[in-house]
Amino acid sequence: LPTRSQVDPGSLPAYACQRHTPLNHHNLCFTEALETLAEAAGFEGSQGRLISFRRAASVLRALPGPITNVSQLRGLPCFGDHSSRIVQELLEHGISSEVERVKQSERYQTMKLFTQIFGVGVKTADKWYREGLRTLEDLQGQTRKLNRQQEAGIRHFEDLSSSVWRHEADAIQRVVEEAVWQVLPGASVTLTGGFRRGKLQGHDVDFLITHPVEGQEAGLIPKVMGLLESQGLVLYQHTQSNHYQDFKDLEHKVSQSTAIDAYERCFSILWLPKSPTSFHPEAGEGPKEPSRDGKAVRVDLVVAPISQFAFALLGWTGSQHFERELRRFSRAEKQMLLNSHGLYHPEKKESLPAASEEDIFTHLGLEYIAPEQRNA
Ligand code: CTP
Ligand code: MN
Ligand code: MN
Ligand code: MN
């Protein structure tokens, strides 16, 4: 935990990428309330309100101590009237009537349930809500409405809605590495996402794969998934090949800084046997139904060429808010465009290379923030 002397709230910088944000902080009751309002705003398509509440919550996560008096909010960046009012309510009554009303509403509860399903975003959840659907049973009675991904999401809902623990992420890493090395010796598999930020549990496991020789990594995922499939470990997978053609296209890609990246990737549900020795894929028809012998886990694989690896690593480590703030800082303060492929200066028409995350922070004139301090 940060010490009290480390950050003077009066001098807290405005962008999350300029701050140290540890996983464990001192203002959980406030951040939970503000995150609920952010989430609810997102359910209504209010992106602006979502970001305002999220920014306020993120500031509180970076504070060296707890807020005990509303006067401490004065001078904090990103703290508007609404967020201040919520904190004040919590300080005075220990509970916020607005937050409680949201949490108890049928709309919020249903949207939360639906968007928790793998493959279901706000748009789809909202459509189903307006059609009168409310429960998983309602959806199961309307299977024609579901695509393959959503159908898998509902089939494995129980497993996927329970946390993935760090030791389970490590076990999956060993399985993935084994397959990757068999297909491409010398390749590396790096744990990214929340686990790289030091989280002990997550909603999925994220891996970034590369190879020291540029180009060797191309086309890796289909072979890896084929191998895992032959081991009976794949419950669902959707692979996309990369769609950057050459370096010109990469520059184009960097300049479209809001678009999803163009790396070869796979969104999957893998089967994690409880103990490797108790699993005999050749013995039965395979783990189509989750049993007590293991569990279904969401796994994301991304493959980056070594020349873009640092950008991919920075982009896939998160948090999502930290990433959003990095890009906003680059654009507004440095007139540069950052994404998971590179850093581009449109006026100078130049891409800045980076061999490490540290290089990228240096290009941006930012102090290096370690992954464990990116929990913005
Ligand atoms: N990400 C991305 N494009 C996507 C999905 C995710 O660039 N289509 C990035 C996010 O910005 C984030 C990282 O991948 O930086 C990990 O995303 P995710 O797995 O959703 O979140 P985590 O931070 O890992 O948290 P959790 O424990 O809930 O998985
Ligand atoms: Mn710190
Ligand atoms: Mn993740
Ligand atoms: Mn993920």
Side-chain angles (χ1 to χ4, degrees), residues 192-195 197 199 201-206 260-261 265 267 298 300 314-321 323 327 340:
T192 62
F195 288 113
R197 300 197 308 276
K199 282 176 72 175
Q201 57 194 92
H203 99 281
D204 70 355
V205 192
D206 307 285
I260 184 164
D261 68 54
R265 72 172 77 247
F267 298 123
R298 274 273 299 110
D300 289 335
L314 181 60
W316 280 85
T317 296
S319 70
Q320 200 191 38
H321 184 64
E323 303 296 334
R327 290 168 196 207
S340 296

PDB file of all heavy atoms in Angstrom, residues 192-195 197 199 201-206 260-261 265 267 298 300 314-321 323 327 340, ligand 1:
ATOM      1  N   THR A 192      -0.918 -11.724 -19.242  1.00  0.00           N
ATOM      2  CA  THR A 192      -1.194 -10.283 -19.230  1.00  0.00           C
ATOM      3  C   THR A 192      -2.488 -10.030 -18.449  1.00  0.00           C
ATOM      4  O   THR A 192      -2.815 -10.798 -17.557  1.00  0.00           O
ATOM      5  CB  THR A 192      -1.305  -9.724 -20.672  1.00  0.00           C
ATOM      6  OG1 THR A 192      -2.403 -10.364 -21.333  1.00  0.00           O
ATOM      7  CG2 THR A 192      -0.036  -9.937 -21.456  1.00  0.00           C
ATOM      8  N   GLY A 193      -3.219  -8.962 -18.787  1.00  0.00           N
ATOM      9  CA  GLY A 193      -4.492  -8.679 -18.117  1.00  0.00           C
ATOM     10  C   GLY A 193      -4.331  -8.477 -16.618  1.00  0.00           C
ATOM     11  O   GLY A 193      -3.250  -8.118 -16.136  1.00  0.00           O
ATOM     12  N   GLY A 194      -5.420  -8.729 -15.901  1.00  0.00           N
ATOM     13  CA  GLY A 194      -5.464  -8.469 -14.461  1.00  0.00           C
ATOM     14  C   GLY A 194      -4.421  -9.242 -13.660  1.00  0.00           C
ATOM     15  O   GLY A 194      -3.871  -8.718 -12.684  1.00  0.00           O
ATOM     16  N   PHE A 195      -4.129 -10.462 -14.055  1.00  0.00           N
ATOM     17  CA  PHE A 195      -3.153 -11.249 -13.290  1.00  0.00           C
ATOM     18  C   PHE A 195      -1.762 -10.614 -13.343  1.00  0.00           C
ATOM     19  O   PHE A 195      -1.017 -10.663 -12.380  1.00  0.00           O
ATOM     20  CB  PHE A 195      -3.113 -12.703 -13.777  1.00  0.00           C
ATOM     21  CG  PHE A 195      -4.337 -13.481 -13.373  1.00  0.00           C
ATOM     22  CD1 PHE A 195      -5.248 -13.929 -14.325  1.00  0.00           C
ATOM     23  CD2 PHE A 195      -4.577 -13.742 -12.034  1.00  0.00           C
ATOM     24  CE1 PHE A 195      -6.379 -14.635 -13.941  1.00  0.00           C
ATOM     25  CE2 PHE A 195      -5.714 -14.454 -11.631  1.00  0.00           C
ATOM     26  CZ  PHE A 195      -6.611 -14.899 -12.595  1.00  0.00           C
ATOM     27  N   ARG A 197      -1.276  -7.513 -13.392  1.00  0.00           N
ATOM     28  CA  ARG A 197      -1.355  -6.371 -12.479  1.00  0.00           C
ATOM     29  C   ARG A 197      -1.376  -6.809 -11.019  1.00  0.00           C
ATOM     30  O   ARG A 197      -1.574  -5.991 -10.131  1.00  0.00           O
ATOM     31  CB  ARG A 197      -2.606  -5.535 -12.782  1.00  0.00           C
ATOM     32  CG  ARG A 197      -2.666  -4.965 -14.192  1.00  0.00           C
ATOM     33  CD  ARG A 197      -3.686  -3.833 -14.314  1.00  0.00           C
ATOM     34  NE  ARG A 197      -5.007  -4.175 -13.823  1.00  0.00           N
ATOM     35  CZ  ARG A 197      -5.945  -4.809 -14.536  1.00  0.00           C
ATOM     36  NH1 ARG A 197      -5.701  -5.173 -15.779  1.00  0.00           N
ATOM     37  NH2 ARG A 197      -7.131  -5.076 -13.998  1.00  0.00           N
ATOM     38  N   LYS A 199      -3.571  -9.096  -9.657  1.00  0.00           N
ATOM     39  CA  LYS A 199      -4.849  -9.582  -9.135  1.00  0.00           C
ATOM     40  C   LYS A 199      -4.730 -11.059  -8.765  1.00  0.00           C
ATOM     41  O   LYS A 199      -3.990 -11.814  -9.399  1.00  0.00           O
ATOM     42  CB  LYS A 199      -5.961  -9.391 -10.182  1.00  0.00           C
ATOM     43  CG  LYS A 199      -6.458  -7.943 -10.269  1.00  0.00           C
ATOM     44  CD  LYS A 199      -7.483  -7.770 -11.383  1.00  0.00           C
ATOM     45  CE  LYS A 199      -8.806  -8.413 -11.053  1.00  0.00           C
ATOM     46  NZ  LYS A 199      -9.827  -8.115 -12.113  1.00  0.00           N
ATOM     47  N   GLN A 201      -7.533 -12.945  -8.509  1.00  0.00           N
ATOM     48  CA  GLN A 201      -8.622 -13.609  -9.216  1.00  0.00           C
ATOM     49  C   GLN A 201      -9.047 -12.754 -10.399  1.00  0.00           C
ATOM     50  O   GLN A 201      -8.813 -11.542 -10.420  1.00  0.00           O
ATOM     51  CB  GLN A 201      -9.800 -13.877  -8.287  1.00  0.00           C
ATOM     52  CG  GLN A 201     -10.355 -12.642  -7.612  1.00  0.00           C
ATOM     53  CD  GLN A 201     -11.277 -13.000  -6.460  1.00  0.00           C
ATOM     54  OE1 GLN A 201     -10.848 -13.111  -5.319  1.00  0.00           O
ATOM     55  NE2 GLN A 201     -12.541 -13.186  -6.766  1.00  0.00           N
ATOM     56  N   GLY A 202      -9.670 -13.397 -11.391  1.00  0.00           N
ATOM     57  CA  GLY A 202     -10.075 -12.643 -12.568  1.00  0.00           C
ATOM     58  C   GLY A 202     -11.273 -13.281 -13.242  1.00  0.00           C
ATOM     59  O   GLY A 202     -11.758 -14.330 -12.791  1.00  0.00           O
ATOM     60  N   HIS A 203     -11.757 -12.647 -14.304  1.00  0.00           N
ATOM     61  CA  HIS A 203     -12.906 -13.225 -15.014  1.00  0.00           C
ATOM     62  C   HIS A 203     -12.429 -14.101 -16.172  1.00  0.00           C
ATOM     63  O   HIS A 203     -13.179 -14.894 -16.715  1.00  0.00           O
ATOM     64  CB  HIS A 203     -13.873 -12.122 -15.457  1.00  0.00           C
ATOM     65  CG  HIS A 203     -13.731 -11.701 -16.903  1.00  0.00           C
ATOM     66  ND1 HIS A 203     -12.737 -10.848 -17.331  1.00  0.00           N
ATOM     67  CD2 HIS A 203     -14.446 -12.039 -17.993  1.00  0.00           C
ATOM     68  CE1 HIS A 203     -12.856 -10.680 -18.638  1.00  0.00           C
ATOM     69  NE2 HIS A 203     -13.874 -11.392 -19.076  1.00  0.00           N
ATOM     70  N   ASP A 204     -11.154 -13.948 -16.553  1.00  0.00           N
ATOM     71  CA  ASP A 204     -10.582 -14.768 -17.613  1.00  0.00           C
ATOM     72  C   ASP A 204      -9.074 -14.804 -17.436  1.00  0.00           C
ATOM     73  O   ASP A 204      -8.544 -14.241 -16.473  1.00  0.00           O
ATOM     74  CB  ASP A 204     -10.959 -14.210 -18.996  1.00  0.00           C
ATOM     75  CG  ASP A 204     -10.269 -12.891 -19.310  1.00  0.00           C
ATOM     76  OD1 ASP A 204      -9.578 -12.339 -18.437  1.00  0.00           O
ATOM     77  OD2 ASP A 204     -10.409 -12.405 -20.449  1.00  0.00           O
ATOM     78  N   VAL A 205      -8.375 -15.460 -18.365  1.00  0.00           N
ATOM     79  CA  VAL A 205      -6.913 -15.477 -18.353  1.00  0.00           C
ATOM     80  C   VAL A 205      -6.451 -14.979 -19.720  1.00  0.00           C
ATOM     81  O   VAL A 205      -6.930 -15.466 -20.755  1.00  0.00           O
ATOM     82  CB  VAL A 205      -6.365 -16.895 -18.090  1.00  0.00           C
ATOM     83  CG1 VAL A 205      -4.870 -16.830 -17.800  1.00  0.00           C
ATOM     84  CG2 VAL A 205      -7.096 -17.565 -16.932  1.00  0.00           C
ATOM     85  N   ASP A 206      -5.576 -13.993 -19.714  1.00  0.00           N
ATOM     86  CA  ASP A 206      -5.114 -13.357 -20.954  1.00  0.00           C
ATOM     87  C   ASP A 206      -3.646 -13.680 -21.199  1.00  0.00           C
ATOM     88  O   ASP A 206      -2.817 -13.509 -20.303  1.00  0.00           O
ATOM     89  CB  ASP A 206      -5.268 -11.832 -20.857  1.00  0.00           C
ATOM     90  CG  ASP A 206      -6.682 -11.418 -20.471  1.00  0.00           C
ATOM     91  OD1 ASP A 206      -7.563 -11.493 -21.327  1.00  0.00           O
ATOM     92  OD2 ASP A 206      -6.890 -11.029 -19.295  1.00  0.00           O
ATOM     93  N   ILE A 260     -10.327  -1.736 -32.380  1.00  0.00           N
ATOM     94  CA  ILE A 260      -9.768  -2.938 -31.770  1.00  0.00           C
ATOM     95  C   ILE A 260      -8.529  -3.330 -32.569  1.00  0.00           C
ATOM     96  O   ILE A 260      -8.446  -3.085 -33.766  1.00  0.00           O
ATOM     97  CB  ILE A 260     -10.818  -4.065 -31.747  1.00  0.00           C
ATOM     98  CG1 ILE A 260     -10.268  -5.283 -31.015  1.00  0.00           C
ATOM     99  CG2 ILE A 260     -11.273  -4.450 -33.160  1.00  0.00           C
ATOM    100  CD1 ILE A 260     -11.350  -6.265 -30.616  1.00  0.00           C
ATOM    101  N   ASP A 261      -7.528  -3.912 -31.878  1.00  0.00           N
ATOM    102  CA  ASP A 261      -6.273  -4.162 -32.579  1.00  0.00           C
ATOM    103  C   ASP A 261      -6.408  -5.280 -33.612  1.00  0.00           C
ATOM    104  O   ASP A 261      -7.398  -5.997 -33.658  1.00  0.00           O
ATOM    105  CB  ASP A 261      -5.121  -4.393 -31.598  1.00  0.00           C
ATOM    106  CG  ASP A 261      -5.257  -5.673 -30.815  1.00  0.00           C
ATOM    107  OD1 ASP A 261      -5.410  -6.730 -31.446  1.00  0.00           O
ATOM    108  OD2 ASP A 261      -5.203  -5.617 -29.580  1.00  0.00           O
ATOM    109  N   ARG A 265      -5.760 -13.550 -32.952  1.00  0.00           N
ATOM    110  CA  ARG A 265      -6.274 -13.709 -31.591  1.00  0.00           C
ATOM    111  C   ARG A 265      -7.260 -14.851 -31.510  1.00  0.00           C
ATOM    112  O   ARG A 265      -7.805 -15.301 -32.522  1.00  0.00           O
ATOM    113  CB  ARG A 265      -6.962 -12.431 -31.138  1.00  0.00           C
ATOM    114  CG  ARG A 265      -8.298 -12.256 -31.889  1.00  0.00           C
ATOM    115  CD  ARG A 265      -9.133 -11.120 -31.384  1.00  0.00           C
ATOM    116  NE  ARG A 265      -8.623  -9.842 -31.844  1.00  0.00           N
ATOM    117  CZ  ARG A 265      -8.088  -8.936 -31.027  1.00  0.00           C
ATOM    118  NH1 ARG A 265      -8.005  -9.163 -29.749  1.00  0.00           N
ATOM    119  NH2 ARG A 265      -7.657  -7.818 -31.514  1.00  0.00           N
ATOM    120  N   PHE A 267     -10.534 -15.969 -28.820  1.00  0.00           N
ATOM    121  CA  PHE A 267     -11.366 -15.911 -27.619  1.00  0.00           C
ATOM    122  C   PHE A 267     -11.870 -17.328 -27.389  1.00  0.00           C
ATOM    123  O   PHE A 267     -12.523 -17.900 -28.263  1.00  0.00           O
ATOM    124  CB  PHE A 267     -12.547 -14.961 -27.815  1.00  0.00           C
ATOM    125  CG  PHE A 267     -12.135 -13.534 -28.085  1.00  0.00           C
ATOM    126  CD1 PHE A 267     -12.566 -12.883 -29.229  1.00  0.00           C
ATOM    127  CD2 PHE A 267     -11.322 -12.846 -27.199  1.00  0.00           C
ATOM    128  CE1 PHE A 267     -12.185 -11.560 -29.486  1.00  0.00           C
ATOM    129  CE2 PHE A 267     -10.938 -11.529 -27.441  1.00  0.00           C
ATOM    130  CZ  PHE A 267     -11.374 -10.889 -28.590  1.00  0.00           C
ATOM    131  N   ARG A 298     -12.533 -18.977 -19.243  1.00  0.00           N
ATOM    132  CA  ARG A 298     -12.354 -18.097 -20.404  1.00  0.00           C
ATOM    133  C   ARG A 298     -10.878 -17.791 -20.580  1.00  0.00           C
ATOM    134  O   ARG A 298     -10.213 -17.351 -19.630  1.00  0.00           O
ATOM    135  CB  ARG A 298     -13.125 -16.794 -20.172  1.00  0.00           C
ATOM    136  CG  ARG A 298     -14.570 -16.846 -20.578  1.00  0.00           C
ATOM    137  CD  ARG A 298     -14.774 -16.510 -22.055  1.00  0.00           C
ATOM    138  NE  ARG A 298     -14.317 -15.146 -22.348  1.00  0.00           N
ATOM    139  CZ  ARG A 298     -13.260 -14.847 -23.057  1.00  0.00           C
ATOM    140  NH1 ARG A 298     -12.501 -15.784 -23.591  1.00  0.00           N
ATOM    141  NH2 ARG A 298     -12.913 -13.584 -23.255  1.00  0.00           N
ATOM    142  N   ASP A 300      -8.114 -15.808 -23.297  1.00  0.00           N
ATOM    143  CA  ASP A 300      -7.834 -14.988 -24.483  1.00  0.00           C
ATOM    144  C   ASP A 300      -6.375 -15.166 -24.884  1.00  0.00           C
ATOM    145  O   ASP A 300      -5.476 -15.018 -24.051  1.00  0.00           O
ATOM    146  CB  ASP A 300      -8.077 -13.499 -24.190  1.00  0.00           C
ATOM    147  CG  ASP A 300      -9.551 -13.173 -24.046  1.00  0.00           C
ATOM    148  OD1 ASP A 300     -10.381 -13.917 -24.606  1.00  0.00           O
ATOM    149  OD2 ASP A 300      -9.877 -12.162 -23.381  1.00  0.00           O
ATOM    150  N   LEU A 314       1.779  -3.599 -23.279  1.00  0.00           N
ATOM    151  CA  LEU A 314       1.208  -2.447 -22.577  1.00  0.00           C
ATOM    152  C   LEU A 314      -0.306  -2.393 -22.785  1.00  0.00           C
ATOM    153  O   LEU A 314      -1.065  -2.148 -21.853  1.00  0.00           O
ATOM    154  CB  LEU A 314       1.868  -1.152 -23.078  1.00  0.00           C
ATOM    155  CG  LEU A 314       1.398   0.151 -22.427  1.00  0.00           C
ATOM    156  CD1 LEU A 314       1.645   0.149 -20.924  1.00  0.00           C
ATOM    157  CD2 LEU A 314       2.097   1.357 -23.067  1.00  0.00           C
ATOM    158  N   GLY A 315      -0.744  -2.664 -24.003  1.00  0.00           N
ATOM    159  CA  GLY A 315      -2.169  -2.573 -24.328  1.00  0.00           C
ATOM    160  C   GLY A 315      -3.015  -3.673 -23.706  1.00  0.00           C
ATOM    161  O   GLY A 315      -4.201  -3.469 -23.440  1.00  0.00           O
ATOM    162  N   TRP A 316      -2.434  -4.848 -23.485  1.00  0.00           N
ATOM    163  CA  TRP A 316      -3.206  -5.979 -22.961  1.00  0.00           C
ATOM    164  C   TRP A 316      -3.031  -6.181 -21.464  1.00  0.00           C
ATOM    165  O   TRP A 316      -3.609  -7.108 -20.896  1.00  0.00           O
ATOM    166  CB  TRP A 316      -2.878  -7.257 -23.739  1.00  0.00           C
ATOM    167  CG  TRP A 316      -3.645  -7.272 -25.024  1.00  0.00           C
ATOM    168  CD1 TRP A 316      -3.293  -6.697 -26.202  1.00  0.00           C
ATOM    169  CD2 TRP A 316      -4.944  -7.848 -25.241  1.00  0.00           C
ATOM    170  NE1 TRP A 316      -4.278  -6.871 -27.146  1.00  0.00           N
ATOM    171  CE2 TRP A 316      -5.299  -7.574 -26.583  1.00  0.00           C
ATOM    172  CE3 TRP A 316      -5.843  -8.554 -24.434  1.00  0.00           C
ATOM    173  CZ2 TRP A 316      -6.513  -7.985 -27.139  1.00  0.00           C
ATOM    174  CZ3 TRP A 316      -7.040  -8.974 -24.982  1.00  0.00           C
ATOM    175  CH2 TRP A 316      -7.371  -8.688 -26.314  1.00  0.00           C
ATOM    176  N   THR A 317      -2.232  -5.317 -20.812  1.00  0.00           N
ATOM    177  CA  THR A 317      -2.081  -5.452 -19.364  1.00  0.00           C
ATOM    178  C   THR A 317      -3.176  -4.690 -18.639  1.00  0.00           C
ATOM    179  O   THR A 317      -3.569  -5.073 -17.533  1.00  0.00           O
ATOM    180  CB  THR A 317      -0.665  -4.971 -18.940  1.00  0.00           C
ATOM    181  OG1 THR A 317       0.297  -5.840 -19.549  1.00  0.00           O
ATOM    182  CG2 THR A 317      -0.489  -5.015 -17.439  1.00  0.00           C
ATOM    183  N   GLY A 318      -3.716  -3.637 -19.261  1.00  0.00           N
ATOM    184  CA  GLY A 318      -4.787  -2.885 -18.642  1.00  0.00           C
ATOM    185  C   GLY A 318      -4.273  -2.042 -17.471  1.00  0.00           C
ATOM    186  O   GLY A 318      -3.078  -1.779 -17.390  1.00  0.00           O
ATOM    187  N   SER A 319      -5.157  -1.643 -16.535  1.00  0.00           N
ATOM    188  CA  SER A 319      -6.589  -1.854 -16.650  1.00  0.00           C
ATOM    189  C   SER A 319      -7.172  -1.124 -17.848  1.00  0.00           C
ATOM    190  O   SER A 319      -6.503  -0.284 -18.445  1.00  0.00           O
ATOM    191  CB  SER A 319      -7.288  -1.361 -15.370  1.00  0.00           C
ATOM    192  OG  SER A 319      -7.221   0.060 -15.320  1.00  0.00           O
ATOM    193  N   GLN A 320      -8.390  -1.433 -18.150  1.00  0.00           N
ATOM    194  CA  GLN A 320      -9.046  -0.785 -19.274  1.00  0.00           C
ATOM    195  C   GLN A 320      -9.024   0.746 -19.103  1.00  0.00           C
ATOM    196  O   GLN A 320      -8.781   1.478 -20.064  1.00  0.00           O
ATOM    197  CB  GLN A 320     -10.489  -1.300 -19.361  1.00  0.00           C
ATOM    198  CG  GLN A 320     -11.106  -1.085 -20.716  1.00  0.00           C
ATOM    199  CD  GLN A 320     -12.607  -1.353 -20.697  1.00  0.00           C
ATOM    200  OE1 GLN A 320     -13.311  -1.026 -19.734  1.00  0.00           O
ATOM    201  NE2 GLN A 320     -13.096  -1.976 -21.756  1.00  0.00           N
ATOM    202  N   HIS A 321      -9.261   1.200 -17.860  1.00  0.00           N
ATOM    203  CA  HIS A 321      -9.268   2.644 -17.627  1.00  0.00           C
ATOM    204  C   HIS A 321      -7.856   3.226 -17.776  1.00  0.00           C
ATOM    205  O   HIS A 321      -7.683   4.325 -18.318  1.00  0.00           O
ATOM    206  CB  HIS A 321      -9.836   2.963 -16.245  1.00  0.00           C
ATOM    207  CG  HIS A 321      -9.963   4.432 -15.977  1.00  0.00           C
ATOM    208  ND1 HIS A 321     -10.804   5.245 -16.709  1.00  0.00           N
ATOM    209  CD2 HIS A 321      -9.329   5.250 -15.093  1.00  0.00           C
ATOM    210  CE1 HIS A 321     -10.686   6.494 -16.271  1.00  0.00           C
ATOM    211  NE2 HIS A 321      -9.797   6.523 -15.297  1.00  0.00           N
ATOM    212  N   GLU A 323      -5.572   2.134 -19.755  1.00  0.00           N
ATOM    213  CA  GLU A 323      -5.326   2.184 -21.206  1.00  0.00           C
ATOM    214  C   GLU A 323      -6.015   3.393 -21.830  1.00  0.00           C
ATOM    215  O   GLU A 323      -5.444   4.096 -22.669  1.00  0.00           O
ATOM    216  CB  GLU A 323      -5.860   0.922 -21.898  1.00  0.00           C
ATOM    217  CG  GLU A 323      -5.306  -0.381 -21.368  1.00  0.00           C
ATOM    218  CD  GLU A 323      -3.813  -0.528 -21.597  1.00  0.00           C
ATOM    219  OE1 GLU A 323      -3.311   0.084 -22.552  1.00  0.00           O
ATOM    220  OE2 GLU A 323      -3.171  -1.234 -20.809  1.00  0.00           O
ATOM    221  N   ARG A 327      -4.069   6.628 -23.706  1.00  0.00           N
ATOM    222  CA  ARG A 327      -4.351   7.094 -25.069  1.00  0.00           C
ATOM    223  C   ARG A 327      -4.814   8.540 -25.077  1.00  0.00           C
ATOM    224  O   ARG A 327      -4.432   9.323 -25.948  1.00  0.00           O
ATOM    225  CB  ARG A 327      -5.411   6.183 -25.717  1.00  0.00           C
ATOM    226  CG  ARG A 327      -4.848   4.807 -26.008  1.00  0.00           C
ATOM    227  CD  ARG A 327      -5.891   3.791 -26.367  1.00  0.00           C
ATOM    228  NE  ARG A 327      -5.310   2.444 -26.251  1.00  0.00           N
ATOM    229  CZ  ARG A 327      -5.707   1.382 -26.927  1.00  0.00           C
ATOM    230  NH1 ARG A 327      -6.705   1.486 -27.777  1.00  0.00           N
ATOM    231  NH2 ARG A 327      -5.121   0.218 -26.753  1.00  0.00           N
ATOM    232  N   SER A 340      -2.291  -0.615 -29.334  1.00  0.00           N
ATOM    233  CA  SER A 340      -1.555  -1.856 -29.047  1.00  0.00           C
ATOM    234  C   SER A 340      -0.549  -2.221 -30.131  1.00  0.00           C
ATOM    235  O   SER A 340       0.151  -3.226 -30.016  1.00  0.00           O
ATOM    236  CB  SER A 340      -2.528  -3.023 -28.865  1.00  0.00           C
ATOM    237  OG  SER A 340      -3.334  -2.787 -27.756  1.00  0.00           O
TER     238      SER A 340
HETATM  239  N1  CTP B   1      -8.557  -5.695 -24.317  1.00  0.00           N
HETATM  240  C1  CTP B   1      -8.445  -5.209 -25.600  1.00  0.00           C
HETATM  241  N2  CTP B   1      -9.354  -5.578 -26.555  1.00  0.00           N
HETATM  242  C2  CTP B   1     -10.363  -6.427 -26.263  1.00  0.00           C
HETATM  243  C3  CTP B   1     -10.483  -6.942 -24.962  1.00  0.00           C
HETATM  244  C4  CTP B   1      -9.552  -6.546 -24.003  1.00  0.00           C
HETATM  245  O1  CTP B   1      -7.526  -4.458 -25.879  1.00  0.00           O
HETATM  246  N3  CTP B   1     -11.241  -6.760 -27.207  1.00  0.00           N
HETATM  247  C5  CTP B   1      -7.586  -5.298 -23.302  1.00  0.00           C
HETATM  248  C6  CTP B   1      -8.195  -4.435 -22.204  1.00  0.00           C
HETATM  249  O2  CTP B   1      -8.096  -3.083 -22.500  1.00  0.00           O
HETATM  250  C7  CTP B   1      -7.356  -4.801 -21.026  1.00  0.00           C
HETATM  251  C8  CTP B   1      -6.836  -6.209 -21.305  1.00  0.00           C
HETATM  252  O3  CTP B   1      -7.099  -6.456 -22.670  1.00  0.00           O
HETATM  253  O4  CTP B   1      -6.260  -3.937 -20.969  1.00  0.00           O
HETATM  254  C9  CTP B   1      -7.471  -7.256 -20.443  1.00  0.00           C
HETATM  255  O5  CTP B   1      -8.880  -7.212 -20.577  1.00  0.00           O
HETATM  256  P1  CTP B   1      -9.866  -8.075 -19.705  1.00  0.00           P
HETATM  257  O6  CTP B   1      -9.464  -9.502 -19.729  1.00  0.00           O
HETATM  258  O7  CTP B   1     -11.234  -7.759 -20.185  1.00  0.00           O
HETATM  259  O8  CTP B   1      -9.761  -7.443 -18.251  1.00  0.00           O
HETATM  260  P2  CTP B   1      -8.742  -7.666 -17.058  1.00  0.00           P
HETATM  261  O9  CTP B   1      -8.129  -6.347 -16.760  1.00  0.00           O
HETATM  262  O10 CTP B   1      -7.812  -8.790 -17.352  1.00  0.00           O
HETATM  263  O11 CTP B   1      -9.682  -8.030 -15.846  1.00  0.00           O
HETATM  264  P3  CTP B   1     -10.389  -9.441 -15.536  1.00  0.00           P
HETATM  265  O12 CTP B   1      -9.727  -9.970 -14.312  1.00  0.00           O
HETATM  266  O13 CTP B   1     -11.823  -9.112 -15.297  1.00  0.00           O
HETATM  267  O14 CTP B   1     -10.199 -10.319 -16.711  1.00  0.00           O
END
